[in-house]
Amino acid sequence: MSLTAPLPRPDHWWQESKKLARLTGPILIAQLTQMLMGVVDTVMAGRVSATDLAAVSVGSSIWFPSILLVFGMGLALAPIISHFDGANKRHKVANMVQQGFYAALIGSLLCVAVIFCAPLILNAMDVEDTFRTITLDYLSYLIWAVPALVIYMVLRNFCEGLSHTVPSLVIGVIGLLVNIPANYILIYGKFGLPAMGGAGCGLATAIVLWVMALGLLLYVLWAKRFQAIGVFQRWYKPDWDDVWYIVRLGFPIATAMFFEVSLFAAAALVIAPLGATVVASHQIALNISSLVYMVPLSLSMAVTLRVGFALGAGNPANAMLSHKLATVYGMTFAAVNGLIMWLGGAWLASLYTPNQAVIQLAATLMGLAAIFTLSDTFQAVAMGTLRGYKDTKAVMLITFVSYWPFGLTIGILLSRTDILGPAMGAAGMWIGFIIGLTIAAVLLTWRLKHVSERYARNLPTAVAEDAD
């Protein structure tokens, strides 16, 4: 089935819709729990002092980019396993999971290196001594969470690669339930423990990640559905061909994520000189957009699994059906939420602040965010589908070109200069976002059409490669 082929009969797309929903729902809740953990950290650290809140914010800004390689290696594992599952080659899964551990450990070396270099980063920022101490203490606790992160990411994507997403939901909820009291006890010094302030967020996060990792590990060891796979029944030595294969898929995924994260980080720096009102309005609009994005992100992760399974089974038509359905459902959700943001932007902003100047500007930005959400959803689903095809290098290149030379550059020109017309402030940056994401959506869709048609033409060879 090409991108322009008609949809199959209703009972077929109804069955596929239910399968997509069963995967997407648990992934969505798992993603929301991760977001809420960040909210808990921010709120609790902010109640100690502005310095503690700023230290946690900067520490997180160092921590998150450093762990993207671990995320990339884990996300690369999901389509590999789903291809095996679709091809009925589950006997190959255990070895590949263990090779995934080796690949993720390689990725974790960057995380450790960045944390060890944190003092140099903070010296370059010329921050106050108290701020510097809290930030370094926060990161020093997080370094103990790196092995747990490796275990969690590999086992989560192992489960999801076999289309079993409920463990992600359950472990995510457990993590959130541990995170709240752990932060409370460590930050404020309860039950006889010293008050650690913002640094306590780092220790709490490390504890939470170990709870999540060990919980998922115990589940994988004990769950009957995984007994036949025997992930740890024997230990496999590193097969550097397999490790390199995972790295070749995972590195572009991590890099594409970095381009996206750095786009928004750079945008915040660009508009920072425009004043507190502009920055606050931008942050409110971005926060609401990020919350809405959890749905297309979860759909993107789910469609990766469905596409991988279909291709492993030698059914590229069903792979494209999954893509089309995910696109329709995602765009419908984006349209409804976009309408809510456009019509109710001022009310949504009022939930964050009583400042009328901030509310009015945030409402304007959310009108632009309504358009941004449509482009973001379309490109997210296309990106997830291409990941199911194990086509990650082109995605990396497309995201770079779309986000930086186009999105950020146009955003800077519109927001801060008169080159393309009178400077528009934060609204200009959001127009840059829309242009960048729209270009990404178009290019990713073009790439998907090319990849899907090539796969269909070379079906016997492609299926044989998937089974290896």
Side-chain angles (χ1 to χ4, degrees):
M1 178 187 288
S2 70
L3 284 173
T4 56
L7 284 173
R9 61 185 187 272
D11 62 322
H12 192 180
W13 61 255
W14 176 244
Q15 291 297 321
E16 184 60 29
S17 296
K18 290 194 292 184
K19 291 174 182 177
L20 264 176
R22 283 199 295 266
L23 293 174
T24 303
I27 292 174
L28 173 60
I29 296 174
Q31 295 302 119
L32 288 173
T33 59
Q34 291 182 11
M35 176 177 280
L36 287 172
M37 288 182 208
V39 171
V40 170
D41 288 354
T42 300
V43 171
M44 289 194 173
R47 291 177 67 86
V48 177
S49 73
T51 301
D52 285 85
L53 175 58
V56 170
S57 176
V58 170
S60 299
S61 298
I62 295 172
W63 164 254
F64 184 71
S66 74
I67 62 176
L68 287 179
L69 270 181
V70 178
F71 274 76
M73 300 309 155
L75 290 170
L77 200 59
I80 295 173
I81 292 175
S82 65
H83 277 248
F84 283 150
D85 192 26
N88 199 25
K89 300 286 184 180
R90 286 194 166 199
H91 61 279
K92 295 179 177 289
V93 169
N95 172 62
M96 192 57 72
V97 170
Q98 294 191 25
Q99 303 309 317
F101 277 112
Y102 297 127
L105 284 171
I106 293 172
S108 71
L109 295 178
L110 173 65
C111 179
V112 174
V114 169
I115 291 178
F116 274 115
C117 292
L120 299 177
I121 297 172
L122 294 174
N123 288 341
M125 295 173 65
D126 192 26
V127 298
E128 298 176 357
D129 288 343
T130 303
F131 182 104
R132 184 178 188 275
T133 300
I134 296 172
T135 304
L136 291 178
D137 286 346
Y138 172 85
L139 290 170
S140 69
Y141 291 120
L142 282 177
I143 200 169
W144 297 103
V146 174
L149 181 67
V150 169
I151 295 170
Y152 172 74
M153 284 304 301
V154 171
L155 293 183
R156 172 177 172 172
N157 284 280
F158 156 68
C159 294
E160 292 183 359
L162 294 174
S163 300
H164 190 41
T165 57
V166 174
S168 301
L169 181 159
V170 175
I171 296 298
V173 171
I174 291 172
L176 178 61
L177 293 176
V178 172
N179 186 59
I180 295 171
N183 267 321
Y184 178 74
I185 292 168
L186 296 171
I187 292 173
Y188 305 129
K190 303 299 180 180
F191 301 107
L193 294 175
M196 300 174 66
C201 285
L203 180 54
T205 300
I207 292 170
V208 167
L209 279 171
W210 273 110
V211 168
M212 294 171 69
L214 294 176
L216 198 51
L217 177 62
L218 291 173
Y219 176 79
V220 168
L221 289 173
W222 291 344
K224 291 183 179 179
R225 67 170 61 229
F226 298 139
Q227 293 301 310
I229 295 174
V231 176
F232 300 113
Q233 283 183 2
R234 56 167 292 195
W235 201 254
Y236 294 89
K237 294 180 180 179
D239 182 325
W240 296 112
D241 288 337
D242 286 340
V243 171
W244 178 238
Y245 178 54
I246 296 171
V247 171
R248 286 204 319 270
L249 291 179
F251 179 78
I253 293 173
T255 307
M257 293 171 68
F258 173 76
F259 291 149
E260 183 175 4
V261 170
S262 59
L263 167 66
F264 292 106
L269 294 176
V270 170
I271 67 171
L274 299 178
T277 298
V278 175
V279 173
S281 302
H282 168 76
Q283 188 59 42
I284 289 171
L286 188 60
N287 186 269
I288 293 172
S289 299
S290 299
L291 184 62
V292 171
Y293 180 65
M294 289 297 102
V295 173
L297 175 62
S298 302
L299 263 175
S300 174
M301 296 170 72
V303 82
T304 297
L305 306 177
R306 290 303 302 154
V307 168
F309 183 89
L311 296 179
N315 190 353
N318 211 62
M320 292 312 300
L321 172 61
S322 297
H323 166 75
K324 289 184 175 183
L325 290 171
T327 301
V328 169
Y329 298 142
M331 293 299 285
T332 301
F333 176 85
V336 171
N337 278 278
L339 187 62
I340 293 171
M341 286 190 287
W342 182 51
L343 296 176
W347 176 78
L348 290 170
S350 69
L351 299 176
Y352 288 78
T353 178
N355 187 308
Q356 286 301 311
V358 173
I359 290 172
Q360 291 306 313
L361 180 54
T364 300
L365 296 181
M366 276 188 276
L368 294 170
I371 305 171
F372 162 95
T373 299
L374 293 169
S375 298
D376 205 11
T377 298
F378 204 92
Q379 65 102 27
V381 175
M383 194 181 297
T385 305
L386 283 167
R387 196 177 296 158
Y389 276 92
K390 297 191 280 193
D391 186 65
T392 60
K393 189 180 295 184
V395 172
M396 174 186 70
L397 297 174
I398 288 171
T399 53
F400 169 71
V401 171
S402 303
Y403 295 169
W404 280 79
F406 284 98
L408 183 62
T409 302
I410 293 173
I412 292 173
L413 293 175
L414 289 174
S415 63
R416 299 295 304 278
T417 76
D418 298 326
I419 294 174
L420 301 178
M424 301 173 66
M429 184 57 68
W430 278 82
I431 292 173
F433 290 163
I434 293 169
I435 292 171
L437 289 170
T438 301
I439 291 172
V442 171
L443 292 178
L444 288 168
T445 301
W446 170 82
R447 176 65 182 177
L448 176 58
K449 183 176 186 298
H450 171 73
V451 169
S452 62
E453 290 178 350
R454 183 183 63 190
Y455 195 98
R457 285 196 304 269
N458 303 319
L459 184 57
T461 303
V463 173
E465 289 177 353
D466 285 337
D468 290 340

